[in-house]
Amino acid sequence: MFPHLGLKASTDPQQVNERLQYHPDVFEFYTDRQDVTDSGLIHLTKMIRLVQDQGIQHIIIHHHALWQISQ
């Protein structure tokens, strides 16, 4: 079994296209606050479809959780 190439990018189209040139087996989107707004989710969906159109079936969406401790 060969190791799988996985790459991570934001939802910036330039960054996504730069990563796609390496033909990863796994693609991870590192999302931020903007990506979970109404317009951000539409954009994220478009970027996911772009990656899927390149034949990549394994897509991970990573959204960093922020914790705030109240005092």
Side-chain angles (χ1 to χ4, degrees), residues 3 27 59:
F27 198 98
I59 298 172

Side-chain angles (χ1 to χ4, degrees), residues 8 17 19-20 22 24 26 35 40 53 57 63-65 67:
K8 183 187 294 189
N17 285 316
R19 302 307 191 274
L20 288 176
Y22 298 104
V26 179
D35 295 315
D53 288 347
Q57 298 177 4
H63 189 77
H64 182 72
W67 295 92

Side-chain angles (χ1 to χ4, degrees), residues 4-58:
H4 294 281
L5 174 62
L7 294 175
K8 183 187 294 189
S10 70
T11 59
D12 173 32
Q14 183 177 356
Q15 201 175 93
V16 171
N17 285 316
E18 193 277 329
R19 302 307 191 274
L20 288 176
Q21 71 180 335
Y22 298 104
H23 308 286
D25 300 307
V26 179
F27 198 98
E28 180 176 350
F29 285 99
Y30 189 86
T31 60
D32 62 20
R33 276 188 203 175
Q34 173 58 35
D35 295 315
V36 293
T37 64
D38 289 341
S39 62
L41 288 170
I42 291 168
H43 176 70
L44 176 59
T45 301
K46 288 179 184 178
M47 293 298 99
I48 291 170
R49 288 190 178 128
L50 174 68
V51 170
Q52 288 175 324
D53 288 347
Q54 299 300 310
I56 300 168
Q57 298 177 4
H58 303 288

